[in-house]
Each structure stands twice: as structure tokens, then as C-alpha cells.
Amino acid sequence: MLLPLISTIFIGISAVFVALGWIVVAKGKVELHKKMMFYGALFAVIFFVTYVAKTVFVGSTAFGGPEEVKIYYTIFLIIHITLATTAAVLGITALISGYKNNMKLHRKLGPVTSIVWFLGSSTGIAVYFLLYVIYPPGEVTNVFRAIWGF
């Protein structure tokens, strides 16, 4: 499937921009940091739109690997969903605090947000590999059935 690959590439690009933003702000390059974080957010939004489009118009792909691995995959998927959701909320909050020049909150939230973002995006990339590369894709179904199997 092409849409899952495309959306995975977008979240990977987003993580690269977040990493670059973290590196440049440590060197005191605040304006470049703002640009990197803007592009990180932009690619995250593009990821989200392609992911939602795939889910709405095509459906969700169930795990197609061995039954004895499915419980571990499901736990991993739930951890990923939790990290990704937390990263999105933290990311929006960090962006708003930065753009509103609330540096006290932004400096406190930024490093935590970046770490959660990297964990969320890297587990998302791992989910892609588990669903489409390592194991054959399962059936395409609604999101509830794809996660829980019923």
C-alpha cells in the first residue's frame, strides 16, 4: 500500500526537522530553530492528513503476523498510540508557547516534547514495518477491529 508508506515517510521527515530544530537552538540559532520546528509541524500535519485519509477511505490494516506475536504487537501499538497522541498535544502546546514568546513554558516543555515526539514517531515507523514489511499485511477493516481483532 502506497498511502501508509507515504504517511510514514512524512512522520520520519517531521522527526528529522524536530531533531534539527533541537540541534540549532542549542547553538543559539533561534530563528533557524523556529523554521525547523515549523517544518516539523508542517510534515506532522501532512502525515496526519494522509493517515486519516487512508483510515477513512481505505480502512485500517490488521496485524497479519503470527497469532502468538499479535498480543505483543497490540501492546506495542497501544504504547505507540499513547505516545503519538501525547506528542501531538505537547507539540501543539510547545508551538503555541514558542510563538506567543512564553519562553519559560516553552523551554520547560520543548525538550520533553522532543523526546516524546521521537518516541512516538519511531514507534510509528516500527508499526509500519510490522504491518507491511516484516509480516504480510492483514485484512483492511475498521480501526476498532484492526486493533482489537473483533
Side-chain angles (χ1 to χ4, degrees):
M1 259 193 180
L2 191 57
L3 270 179
L5 174 61
I6 292 169
S7 67
T8 301
I9 289 170
F10 285 137
I11 203 62
I13 293 170
S14 171
V16 169
F17 275 110
V18 170
L20 291 172
W22 201 358
I23 290 167
V24 299
V25 79
K27 295 179 180 181
K29 299 177 181 181
V30 175
E31 289 306 311
L32 187 54
H33 169 73
K34 288 178 183 179
K35 289 178 184 174
M36 295 296 107
M37 293 310 191
F38 170 80
Y39 286 117
L42 177 66
F43 279 99
V45 168
I46 295 169
F47 154 78
F48 186 70
V49 168
T50 58
Y51 175 80
V52 169
K54 185 250 180 210
T55 302
V56 169
F57 296 113
V58 178
S60 292
T61 304
F63 181 68
E67 195 61 37
E68 60 271 11
V69 176
K70 184 174 170 64
I71 186 66
Y72 301 108
Y73 167 79
T74 303
I75 292 167
F76 185 76
L77 180 61
I78 291 168
I79 291 168
H80 161 66
I81 291 168
T82 303
L83 285 167
T85 303
T86 303
V89 171
L90 288 173
I92 291 166
T93 306
L95 282 169
I96 291 170
S97 66
Y99 280 113
K100 287 189 170 188
N101 215 22
N102 183 349
M103 290 300 112
K104 183 177 180 183
L105 175 61
H106 187 75
R107 286 186 181 117
K108 186 182 282 188
L109 199 56
V112 174
T113 303
S114 294
I115 291 167
V116 177
W117 194 268
F118 295 132
L119 292 171
S121 60
S122 61
T123 56
I125 292 167
V127 165
Y128 169 82
F129 276 94
L130 288 167
L131 279 179
Y132 299 101
V133 178
I134 297 171
Y135 299 109
E139 71 173 308
V140 176
T141 185
N142 69 58
V143 71
F144 184 76
R145 185 171 291 152
I147 294 172
W148 300 107
F150 41 75

